[in-house]
Amino acid sequence: MVVERPHGVAEAVEITALAKKMRPQYLAKCGGTYSSEWFFSKILHCLRTAPEVFDAAFTWVECADWIPAALTGTEAPDKLTVCVCAAGHKAMYNDDWGGYPDAEFLGALDPKLGELRARLRSKALPLINP
């Protein structure tokens, strides 16, 4: 598991530019600019700078979701719960457009990122989920 890797601003700038051109709704909930501190910026940076790490990962998880999963023994990709708070803010998740950004958008950044879309959890849930 990689908790944190150094990351640059270039990926965030690229994601912001592509979203403005292709899917402006993805930026509507984050102030119009995607951050280098957020989910897809870090993943894309890893893909470009350490492709062996990207290729070894089945999926990617925010730390805020990983810690509760590890503590409750539900860290398997098919059992992991993703909280809508982090997913909505950091990963452009919104139920209105089907959850995470679509594979076409992510694939325009890098085909492998587009392929990753299918391995992300299909639904993010509220913090308090009965």
Side-chain angles (χ1 to χ4, degrees), residues 1-2 57-82 119-121:
M1 175 176 81
V2 175
F58 174 77
T59 193
W60 294 78
V61 179
E62 278 290 332
C63 188
D65 296 323
W66 176 256
I67 291 172
L71 291 172
T72 60
T74 57
E75 68 268 25
D78 63 332
K79 297 195 181 336
L80 181 84
T81 297
V82 174
R119 297 189 308 273
L120 298 175
R121 294 298 289 163

Side-chain angles (χ1 to χ4, degrees), residues 7 11 22-23 31-33 38-39 47 51 53 67 74-75 89 100 109 128-129:
H7 52 278
E11 291 80 10
M22 197 172 166
R23 303 280 193 276
T33 303
W38 295 342
F39 196 66
L47 172 57
V53 173
I67 291 172
T74 57
E75 68 268 25
H89 181 71
Y100 292 104
L109 295 163
I128 298 174
N129 187 43

Side-chain angles (χ1 to χ4, degrees), residues 5-8 11 40-50:
R5 292 187 62 86
H7 52 278
E11 291 80 10
F40 291 109
S41 295
K42 292 179 182 182
I43 296 170
L44 187 56
H45 184 76
C46 179
L47 172 57
R48 291 178 174 164
T49 61

